[in-house]
Amino acid sequence: KIEHTGKTLSFDLMSEPPKCCICLDEFTNPASLPCGHCFCLGCIGEYWRIHGACRCPLCKAFFLNRPQLKTDKTTQTEDVTGPLKAGEVPCDFCPAKCRGAVKSCLVCLASYCDTHLEPHYQSEDLGRHLLINVVKNLEDSVCRVHGKQLDRFCRSDRTCICAMCAQTEHRGHHIIPINKEATKKKVKLKWRRIKLQQAIQERLSKVEKIKISVDRSGEDPKETWAQNKELIKQLEEEISELRRKNAELEQLSQTEDNLHFLQVCTMLTSQYISNLINHLLSFF
């Protein structure tokens, strides 16, 4: 009921499904707190994790010990399974990987769907684990030294680092967010592809001009063709190699995960420098 200008207005709340006051959507795995208020299990679990305390978002009741959250199985939304969408990461614990993951755990090094994520919101020990948005190649997204998420890029050492790295080994270095570095790299990658396409077009034009000149030379076509055969072969080999590199860069540019994108770029840069050094050493 809501009071307005001295009158009491009542609404039929049964006309529409109840909603979670955190996500403002219909309940998904509704869980009741000791104070009586109800939220989506995932919403209240994330709320507590982010704020670092077990408190009700509505009445501000504080719980010294983490309450045992139990979901109301009778009011859960229908469990829908089906083929995963392109780029969707499967839950590591679903049979046949049939459901998409909604969170990845940097402690468990696993990705979970809504159902299998429940223990991370219900258990006090699992509730301390760091959950992040779903990522592919989860092992590669964690710092091997500190076990923290790689979310920064050190431009001084050209490597991906975590928050602890920035305060220790890379202290004082030029450090920027992963997303910012990835955006810069993708712009450079775009210009690199344009240069490759221009180089391909230049060689195609050369091949076409040679073929036209052979037809218009008035000399013996076989003899003229034999004279230009090696040059055309060389140009066609260069075109093939340039197209291969362009296809690789196109595939790389479509990488959605910025961390994985930077890791591949760093690896390719290291390989290029190594090959260049080996080439130079071959002259000595």
Side-chain angles (χ1 to χ4, degrees):
K1 295 181 179 181
I2 299 177
E3 291 189 1
H4 181 61
T5 62
K7 296 181 180 180
T8 300
L9 301 177
S10 62
F11 294 88
D12 182 11
L13 298 179
M14 300 303 293
S15 61
E16 60 180 41
K19 295 183 178 181
C20 170
C21 69
I22 296 179
C23 66
L24 304 180
D25 205 348
E26 292 182 25
F27 282 110
T28 301
N29 297 350
S32 296
L33 304 188
C35 60
H37 292 124
C38 188
F39 308 92
C40 299
L41 177 63
C43 290
I44 191 61
E46 279 296 291
Y47 181 87
W48 286 351
R49 186 184 67 81
I50 292 171
H51 290 82
C54 298
R55 186 187 298 273
C56 175
L58 289 178
C59 67
K60 306 303 179 183
F62 178 77
F63 311 109
L64 185 60
N65 296 318
R66 187 186 186 95
Q68 182 65 34
L69 300 178
K70 295 183 178 180
T71 57
D72 182 0
K73 300 296 182 182
T74 61
T75 57
Q76 286 190 42
T77 54
E78 185 179 357
D79 184 18
V80 179
T81 60
L84 297 179
K85 299 177 182 178
E88 193 172 11
V89 178
C91 171
D92 290 323
F93 294 89
C94 280
K97 310 285 186 182
C98 60
R99 297 189 65 192
V102 295
K103 290 287 182 181
S104 295
C105 177
L106 291 182
V107 179
C108 302
L109 291 181
S111 297
Y112 301 89
C113 65
D114 285 321
T115 301
H116 290 110
L117 187 63
E118 287 186 16
H120 277 77
Y121 295 134
Q122 295 171 321
S123 166
E124 185 173 358
D125 291 335
L126 292 176
R128 299 190 184 98
H129 289 189
L130 179 58
L131 300 176
I132 61 172
N133 292 331
V134 182
V135 294
K136 297 180 181 179
N137 306 312
L138 189 55
E139 294 83 357
D140 295 335
S141 67
V142 179
C143 175
R144 300 182 186 277
V145 177
H146 304 109
K148 303 290 184 181
Q149 184 181 11
L150 297 171
D151 58 359
R152 296 163 170 79
F153 186 82
C154 176
R155 303 205 81 189
S156 303
D157 293 333
R158 310 198 64 79
T159 187
C160 301
I161 63 174
C162 71
M164 288 295 293
C165 291
Q167 299 298 321
T168 54
E169 300 98 311
H170 298 267
R171 188 178 183 85
H173 291 188
H174 185 191
I175 298 170
I176 63 174
I178 286 284
N179 294 343
K180 187 175 181 180
E181 178 66 16
T183 300
K184 291 182 177 182
K185 282 279 197 303
K186 287 181 178 179
V187 171
K188 291 182 179 180
L189 193 63
K190 179 180 178 180
W191 285 109
R192 175 61 177 161
R193 289 191 60 214
I194 291 175
K195 292 292 185 181
L196 282 173
Q197 291 164 2
Q198 290 175 345
I200 291 170
Q201 192 57 47
E202 288 173 1
R203 283 158 178 78
L204 286 172
S205 297
K206 286 182 180 179
V207 171
E208 187 63 24
K209 288 178 180 178
I210 292 172
K211 291 180 178 179
I212 292 175
S213 66
V214 169
D215 294 336
R216 295 179 177 177
S217 63
E219 302 176 3
D220 184 359
K222 291 184 178 180
E223 183 179 344
T224 307
W225 182 260
Q227 294 173 354
N228 294 280
K229 184 178 180 180
E230 286 301 320
L231 178 57
I232 292 177
K233 182 181 178 181
Q234 179 184 342
L235 289 171
E236 288 178 342
E237 287 177 352
E238 291 177 3
I239 291 170
S240 178
E241 179 64 16
L242 290 170
R243 282 175 171 168
R244 183 187 65 80
K245 289 181 179 179
N246 186 54
E248 289 178 353
L249 293 184
E250 181 181 10
Q251 184 178 2
L252 179 60
S253 66
Q254 294 173 353
T255 304
E256 296 180 358
D257 186 346
N258 286 330
L259 173 61
H260 181 60
F261 170 77
L262 287 178
Q263 288 173 332
V264 173
C265 286
T266 302
M267 180 186 67
L268 292 176
T269 302
S270 299
Q271 289 178 349
Y272 172 78
I273 294 174
S274 177
N275 292 337
L276 181 60
I277 292 174
N278 290 335
H279 177 69
L280 293 174
L281 290 176
S282 66
F283 292 98
F284 294 94

